Amino acid sequence: MITAGIDVGAKTIKVVLLDGGKILAKTSVLAGFETEQSVEEAYKEALAKAGIERSAVGKVGATGAGRKAVAFAQTVVTEVSADAQGAVFLHPSARTVIDVGAEEGRGIKTNADGKVVDFAVNEKCAAGAGAFTESMARALEVTLAQFGDISLKSNKSIPMNAQCTVFAESEVVSLIHSNTSKEDIARAVHDAIASRISAMVRRVGLEQDVILVGGVAYNIGFLDSIKRTLGIENVVVPQDPEYVGALGAAVVAGAAGN
Amino acid sequence: MATLTKYPTEPLKCWNKAKELRLKYYKDYAECKQRGGIRWSGGAWAMDAIPAGLGDDVYTLTSEPYAASVAFDPKLNAECQSAADAKGWSRDLCSYMRTYWGSMYVNKYAFGGEFPKPDFAFQTQICCSHHKWYQHVAEYKQIPYFTIDVSVGLYKDVDEGRIAYVVNQMQESIPWLEKVTGRKFDDEKFIAAVNNECRTTSLWAEVCTLNKAVPAPLEEKTMYALYVLATLSKHSKEFGDFYEELRDEVKDRIARGIAAVSTERCRLITDTQPPWSYLSMYRYMEKYGAVSVGSLYTFALEGVFADQPDGSWGPRPTPEQLGIKIRTREEALRIYADWNLSKPEWQHFYDPQIKTDIMLRMVKEFKLNGVILHLNRGCEGLSKGIMENRLGLVKAGVPVMTYEGNMGDEKEMDYPRTLSRIDSFMESLGFNKLEN
Amino acid sequence: MAALEKFEHWYHNRHEYAREWKKRTGGKVIGTFCTYVPDEILTAAGMLHSRILGSHEPQDVTEPHIFGMFCPFCRDSLAQGLKGRFNYLDGIVLAHSCIHYRQTFDSWRAHIPTEFTYYLPMPNMVQSPSAKSYYVGEVAKFKAALEEYAGKKITDADLDRGIELTNKNRRLLHKIYEFRKTDPPKLTGTEALYIATTAQFVDYEEHNKALEEASEEVADRTVDRDPGIRLMAVGSENDDVEFFKMVESVGATVVIDEQCAGTRYFWNEARIQPDRLQTISDRYVERPPCPTKDYPERQRFPHVLQLAKDYKAQGAIIMQEKFCDPHEGDNPVLKKYLEDNGIPTLGLEFDSTNPLGPFRIRVEAFLETLRTDDLF
């Protein structure tokens, strides 16, 4: 049976079409003000990409903050469950899922079936999420991609506090003024955010394998830092890490009612 | 598919009476000076049976429940919070304290009129904020201030020296009260007040214990309106009588199988004060058939518990029930100190393990599916050790959800995200939203 | 090594020091939580008092144990334990004071295997007439517990030695602090911080000897730096040398402090009374109070003002550990009190790692306002 997973996030809507164990298509569109319309657009695009008719899809699962906008979904799950399902589907030995998106960071402990055992989500604060890195990259006048790259060139550890984005930004500015290299500042920022995320992960308990999903997983500087702060060698980053939630929704849809 | 049992439900008969008693309390405090009465302010844990020795026309304003009342009026609360900000007080200080001070600064009483100036402040100290609270009220309002340090360690370790310290301070408070009010202290009235307080706080514990029944006859949102009476005045005979009436009604509900929530299928407890502006959260949980049957906070902020002969957790027998007749001031002070020191909600101040043990006991005896911990940014006292409690519960296999908020400052709560967290938690417990 | 450098060396190598002390003496090392622990008793028992302090590094290991709205100091301290940096401790003791630090102790004894753990009730209401009789009883119980743990009696002679060594340390610290009164001050705030902090974890005999030598060194000193504005540091736990170094690099000298890594720890001596335990326990009831214990009267404020006057401070930095409720309950009133008495203040909220950049701007701006005052 072909199933669809639709992840309606704050910024983007992502669709994954799944046929048993095989991913048929992935699409992502920016979420407009008319969420339902954007969902429709993304879904159609995915169907076209896979070259299948709407009627070929047996079940539709929705997740994400705007999941209610998917009126035609048969199953609806939270991002936390979708992440766990998607991660275990891709990497069966995953037990800890770290999802760092634009506005939210999550640490999830899962069992072998992709069932959530415990989870922690960042509180009312952007410091543990992607938005924080974006604002720091802006302060350094580099692109997000460069930001990750240059961070790897540093081997210096500058303690920095990621408690507050605004305060951290002024700290970055004063580091710039004191002629600290961009590379060292980039690493300090990644270490700081990784430290926040690690703290959250420790709250649910660190169990390997650890899989990193969400858009921030593309940032190799962050990946390097999170390995260091967690004190582990291996953190799995799946292909297309930002689609794991949508994939999980598709998996759940397929499992429902069987 | 499982079929859902629908339990019969009906409103609580004594509900309105609780509301009336509460309003009368706040009104009496504002108006008592016209009748020549005395009024004082102190925390909900103040030893209020002691000033009761000054006469029958002594009225109290307990500050935490008062601040919670202000929190129900978001506009006034915001005004109070800003007034505290303007004076330079840190945002992370006890939000009740900030609200109370703000209400004092803007000179507005949540129940109408100006903020009534207390004749004196009478406080206990177990949390770092308690004494600062009234130290500042006293300096701002220019009133006398007495406080009793009750932070002497775990009840199980209380010995002669520790109890003597508390008793001695209470002793010292009596001539002080006589001096600042010009009244003679009446030991008879004090002894009666001690007996009443033991009765009230034991009865409340009994009511809470009844919630072990499935379906639960009470749910926590309702209990908030009931437990509050003990936080207003523990020694009040009238409130004790009300709890007796409540207990009988709850027993009757159990006998007739009346549920607080007709769709109960998931039983939870919470912890610490709730974010008062977002109590609709509890209604949201009900969409899953989830009922909070209470919390250590609602139960034991004032309720006094003890092991029952059958090993279960229940009300501590009062001195009167044990046949102890209090004859002298000294005896009364000792019993009074001992009674308060045994309060379950005082134990985590010294060791989080005791609270974890109590919670695990609640999980078992109240047949719970999980626990929701409010990481309350507004109260350092009740949040003390809460992460260790979480760890202890998780280690014992109890599903736990946490969320950050603030009992008295709605700015610190992210409500939509909290609801989505409840969704995830319910999902992980295996519950879906019920069709209407 | 010059005597003064010894303090700095101990400060940066405290763990090596304690390990070496243990090896050398065969004695027990006891971690102390809060400056209300009577070090006299530990010294009398032949044990090393070793105050638990943080490292000022960001950390992510305490999240499962202490909720994030408690002070960074209590979490930083616990992190040191969880990371095994204090793994040489034989025991730990907490004197009852603030709620924040009590959590460090709670989590420490629950998760870090330690032979001897002791919770020492200490009255918070030190102003109560009943406080002294209560505390002497608790100190007696603490002494008995140590005797049982060590399997050895603490004799009157031991107690006398404990009292004498700690009192001598306090006297010597006062003496060297006198050099901060001079104009220009012969001792910087950074140096004083090294000196006062190390008293909390270095064997008193050694510390006293170093103090005696250092006092002679400092007396002969000629100051070649411009001392700038004379500042006072007031506030919660602070042993952050980097911050003091920064302040003293932008045109100021910290001439006195009122904080628990400094004067609050050593200010008063134990008054010798016939009863030795009373001598010891009263000392803690009578000492300059932490805000946690300063009620119903605000006795701390006049003491702070007196220090500012005695050391001729031109301004005060009120350093507050983020989320420290006891200090937050004092600061707005203290600020007004000091300003009404002619001491301008700058309030700073501190975290375990103090971002120096944003703080430098604030301190410089504060110093500018003080200098402007001079112009008119």
Side-chain angles (χ1 to χ4, degrees), chain C residues 47-63:
Chain C
M47 299 176 183
L48 178 65
H49 62 291
S50 182
R51 177 145 185 230
I52 310 287
L53 291 166
S55 70
H56 306 285
E57 298 160 349
Q59 54 82 19
D60 54 29
V61 294
T62 59
E63 190 70 12

Side-chain angles (χ1 to χ4, degrees), chain A residues 81 103-104 115 118 124, chain B residues 390 411 417 423 427-428:
Chain A
S81 295
E103 288 166 350
E104 202 164 82
K115 192 179 167 332
D118 200 356
K124 199 178 180 179
Chain B
R390 183 197 164 278
K411 294 194 293 295
R417 275 211 189 160
D423 292 336
E427 219 167 70
S428 72

Side-chain angles (χ1 to χ4, degrees), chain B residues 154 296 347-359 383-390 392-393, chain C residues 65 102-111 119:
Chain B
L154 288 173
L296 181 62
Q347 309 310 312
H348 73 278
F349 281 95
Y350 317 103
D351 191 348
Q353 189 58 46
I354 307 288
K355 178 168 159 186
T356 303
D357 292 344
I358 298 175
M359 289 177 109
S383 300
K384 183 193 166 281
I386 195 163
M387 294 307 288
E388 288 292 348
N389 298 137
R390 183 197 164 278
L393 290 166
Chain C
H65 303 284
R102 220 176 295 155
Q103 293 188 102
T104 310
F105 178 76
D106 287 339
S107 294
W108 196 299
R109 69 175 159 176
H111 302 286
Y119 183 98

Side-chain angles (χ1 to χ4, degrees), chain C residues 38 122-123 145 174 186 297 302 305 327 329 347 350 365:
Chain C
M122 156 80 205
H174 266 277
K186 287 192 172 186
E297 219 184 293
L305 181 63
H327 279 274
F350 273 68

Side-chain angles (χ1 to χ4, degrees), chain A residues 104-128:
Chain A
E104 202 164 82
R106 294 178 209 119
I108 304 160
K109 191 177 201 168
T110 170
N111 67 13
D113 301 326
K115 192 179 167 332
V116 175
V117 179
D118 200 356
F119 67 97
V121 182
N122 72 305
E123 301 294 343
K124 199 178 180 179
C125 172

